[in-house]
Amino acid sequence: MIKILASDGMEKGAIAALEAKGCEVTCEFFEPEALKAAVKEYDVLVVRSATKVREPHIDAALETGKLQLIIRGGVGVDNIDVKYAEEKGIAVRNTPKASSDAVAELALAHMFSVARFVSLAGHTMREGKWEKKAYKGIELTGRTVGIVGYGRIGQALGRRCQALGMKVLAYDIYQNKELECDTMRYVEMDELLANSDIISLHVPSLPGQPLVNAETIAKMKDGVILINTSRGTNVDEAALIAALDSGKVYGAGLDVFAEEPAKNEALYAHPRVSCTPHIGASTVEAQKRIGAEIVSIISEKFGL
């Protein structure tokens, strides 16, 4: 019997499908130290973003040799020491196709929220206020959006932005020139920073200093909107707060934070910030697709 630990939970349909194939599925979160003992007993470890799988966990799993596969239910695998796991003979997979539309739609939702004060204005109404004249927003139609990272999610967002009458500037080290048209073209990073009304990040966590910092913010247009549904560490939060306070950045839509759960109240409570608690892939449809991919990966690995 294949034993599977889903440390950050799993969609019910996927659990049922795996159990129908004779697998045993345990859904239980373990703190980092406790996870080292738990992984020794399982053939498969399935994680989302909350669980971090580091070298000590992999070393612990090697003591019994049971663990053969780690699956990240989602796109980024920076919470797993992938190279180390694979060097030790443990396969690492993810589900990159499943959540693209969900994350793209959330990024677009944050654009609307920032441009029209949806989150803030709604909050003030719940406080019994009617501040109609305080929230004169801007329209997205006709704006230029710079998308940093033009893979599955970036392209999904780009299509939606173009449908709204926006122009897309895309930066990516891999370029599919067939995507270029009158409303979308690839550019270098400095051109994207200088010419975008809105900048949306769709890249993994990058080494070195954050992608968005005081230096890169200075290169942006005055009044730019920043959207981040990628990784919180891609943004220097202190630099962003300073730019929001000065008006250099019109507003920010953030689904991810440098520390999660978010502790930087000066950022998430800022009146120019629309924020959500890392829910990019949290749709019914995306969870079903992620679950289906997980079932497919496990079935292929173990010949189920």
Side-chain angles (χ1 to χ4, degrees), residues 231-248:
R231 290 291 182 267
T233 51
N234 284 330
V235 175
D236 181 329
E237 294 184 345
L240 176 56
I241 292 170
L244 287 164
D245 289 341
S246 71
K248 174 69 176 182

Side-chain angles (χ1 to χ4, degrees), residues 261-295:
K263 301 291 193 302
N264 193 345
E265 186 174 359
L267 180 61
Y268 67 72
H270 196 286
R272 290 279 179 170
V273 170
S274 170
C275 56
T276 46
H278 204 151
I279 60 171
S282 296
T283 66
V284 172
E285 295 86 353
Q287 291 307 304
K288 287 182 178 179
R289 290 192 295 266
I290 289 171
E293 278 201 58
I294 289 171
V295 173

